Amino acid sequence: MTFKNDLILRAARGEKVERTPVWLMRQAGRILPEYREVRAKMGGFKELVETPEFACEVTIQPVDILGVDAAIIFSDILVIPEAMGLPYQMVEAKGPWFEKTIKVAADVANMRIAQADDLHYVMDAIRLTKKELAGRVPLIGFAGAPWTIFAYMIEGSGSKTFSKAKRFLYTQPELAHQLLQKITDSTIHYLKGQVLAGADMLQLFDSWAGVLSPEQYNEFALKYISQICDAIKDVPFTVFAKDAHFARKQMGMLSCDTIGLDWTTDIEESRALIGNTKTLQGNMDPCLLYADYSKIKLETQKMLKAFGPHRHIANLGHGLYPDLDKDKVKYFVDTVKEFRF
Ligand code: CP3
């Protein structure tokens, strides 16, 4: 496939780029009035995710409106628990909610290993989006990392502490490993399916990495992330583990191309810990985008200089917040695109 703009793929592979590529986690969503319009036409978030035409439309919106260097397929990490046997609901203004959760051995035994076909609506959305993008920018596919998916399957909703999920690790570690392995196998099928459908690169989101100790992170998270990295060969692969500063050195040893960083980590220190064989992605604090334009420009340029001209993909350190001003978000993107070393 030939792209009009393949900066992000080249940066991920460590090749030379004319400028730093940029995209934003949660770039499709509530900061765009155009998204809210499409969303209002639908019964709810899930219907949007499950209808390829609409998922495609909102996936492409940030490419048109913000000018980002990649699209990310509009979906959610929670489609995997659903495909395994735990359906989720997205409760307006509250977030995800699962009617059933995992408590005992029989619950784990009842979980099926998902196949790519179970998520045919995501594959259809990817195929359609690839066609509509027509090579303008690459399309990113994604999944949740096993620990984060496990945390939702035990907890049944978001949580500040994920104490139920952590209790499970301390009280039923073997059962936890069984479930984590089933999630890992499902995720590998799902990601391979996304590549077959046309995804040009992939990202794994470990949003709740930060509630685990370094030792637990090795045992219950990195072990499975590493299996997934090893299974994906054909496209650049990014691992983003939020608040996993303690695991940066081990993440440098994963067989992936890019490591995502949040804003709590020092850039030079991260480079030293992770090494020169990986691309780094991130890591602006999304709250910078509440500041005035001159401050946004100053801090963005400071970030670009700290990462340097090679092996960097500019992004925020986590997803955009829904109340951010679209013009300021676009200003961040433009500041990156105008900068030259
Ligand atoms: O980045 C993108 O633009 C692609 C789409 C995307 C969504 N969710 C759409 C979404 C991606 C990559 C995700 C991943 C996701 N989902 C993560 C990992 C990344 C992260 O933020 O840490 C997690 C933890 C989830 C689970 C989830 N989905 C939560 C906790 C919530 C509720 C909180 C919120 O922001 O509303 C969601 C809902 C969700 N996923 C929305 C969107 C656009 C908002 C729902 C709406 O439009 O009403």
Side-chain angles (χ1 to χ4, degrees), residues 23-30 35 39 45 72-78 90 92 95-96 142 148 152 205 207-208 318:
W23 71 282
L24 306 162
M25 290 187 273
R26 290 287 177 93
Q27 62 189 19
R30 289 164 295 183
Y35 167 83
R39 174 83 166 69
F45 173 77
I72 177 163
I73 193 67
F74 191 81
S75 184
D76 203 89
I77 61 169
L78 302 175
M90 201 56 83
E92 199 62 53
F142 70 90
T148 288
Y152 281 105
F205 288 87
S207 305
W208 299 107
H318 199 193

Side-chain angles (χ1 to χ4, degrees), residues 5-309:
N5 170 354
D6 67 348
L7 284 169
I8 194 168
L9 298 178
R10 283 191 274 142
R13 292 191 292 247
E15 295 167 16
K16 235 177 142 27
V17 285
E18 302 78 65
R19 64 165 174 84
T20 304
V22 55
W23 71 282
L24 306 162
M25 290 187 273
R26 290 287 177 93
Q27 62 189 19
R30 289 164 295 183
I31 66 143
L32 300 178
E34 295 84 351
Y35 167 83
R36 294 198 295 267
E37 232 169 77
V38 178
R39 174 83 166 69
K41 281 193 265 174
M42 310 296 291
F45 173 77
K46 273 187 92 169
E47 204 181 327
L48 184 50
V49 165
E50 290 165 14
T51 312
E53 297 73 36
F54 291 107
C56 168
E57 185 179 346
V58 298
T59 298
I60 296 177
Q61 281 175 350
V63 178
D64 291 333
I65 301 163
L66 302 173
V68 284
D69 294 309
I72 177 163
I73 193 67
F74 191 81
S75 184
D76 203 89
I77 61 169
L78 302 175
V79 299
I80 278 289
E82 180 157 281
M84 294 177 71
L86 288 189
Y88 73 97
Q89 287 174 37
M90 201 56 83
V91 183
E92 199 62 53
K94 274 205 159 156
W97 185 75
F98 291 83
E99 192 180 333
K100 285 190 288 174
T101 56
I102 302 290
K103 295 187 185 70
V104 295
D107 299 331
V108 174
N110 281 336
M111 287 300 105
R112 47 188 306 278
I113 293 174
Q115 303 298 325
D117 268 2
D118 297 327
L119 291 152
H120 56 85
Y121 57 86
V122 180
M123 308 306 155
D124 290 343
I126 290 175
R127 275 187 286 269
L128 185 62
T129 306
K130 279 295 290 177
K131 194 169 139 241
E132 297 293 321
L133 278 172
R136 285 166 64 197
V137 290
L139 177 63
I140 305 171
F142 70 90
W147 155 250
T148 288
I149 297 299
F150 173 97
Y152 281 105
M153 290 173 84
I154 307 293
E155 206 82 29
S157 65
S159 159
K160 281 206 175 101
T161 56
F162 279 93
S163 56
K164 287 191 191 120
K166 286 178 70 184
R167 177 169 69 191
F168 204 102
L169 300 185
Y170 283 114
T171 58
Q172 309 188 78
E174 293 199 348
L175 199 55
H177 278 299
Q178 281 174 30
L179 181 55
L180 285 161
Q181 191 61 57
K182 282 189 162 182
I183 297 168
T184 301
D185 295 343
S186 302
T187 304
I188 290 171
H189 293 153
Y190 179 44
L191 290 175
K192 284 189 167 173
Q194 293 187 41
V195 174
L196 281 176
D200 301 297
M201 60 193 295
L202 295 171
Q203 177 160 322
L204 208 58
F205 288 87
D206 211 355
S207 305
W208 299 107
V211 300
L212 296 182
S213 71
E215 202 182 312
Q216 282 178 317
Y217 198 68
N218 274 330
E219 181 181 351
F220 296 104
L222 275 175
K223 180 180 168 195
Y224 298 99
I225 290 177
S226 141
Q227 286 183 31
I228 297 171
C229 291
D230 291 345
I232 304 295
K233 299 260 183 292
D234 302 325
V235 296
F237 195 85
T238 303
V239 177
F240 170 64
K242 171 94 180 17
D243 294 322
H245 48 87
F246 50 78
R248 281 174 292 171
K249 194 158 185 230
Q250 292 93 308
M251 294 181 74
M253 291 183 262
L254 292 168
S255 65
C256 63
D257 306 275
T258 300
I259 300 293
L261 300 172
D262 64 64
W263 62 89
T264 65
T265 57
D266 179 77
I267 295 167
E268 268 171 52
E269 183 189 64
S270 299
R271 179 51 87 195
L273 285 167
I274 294 168
N276 292 325
T277 60
K278 300 257 185 288
T279 295
L280 300 179
Q281 176 175 276
N283 72 336
M284 189 53 78
D285 182 353
C287 291
L288 171 73
L289 307 184
Y290 293 119
D292 61 36
Y293 286 96
S294 60
K295 177 84 176 157
I296 293 174
K297 186 169 202 164
L298 186 78
E299 293 297 325
T300 303
Q301 293 184 341
K302 215 197 288 177
M303 173 191 79
L304 290 167
K305 287 176 197 156
F307 278 105

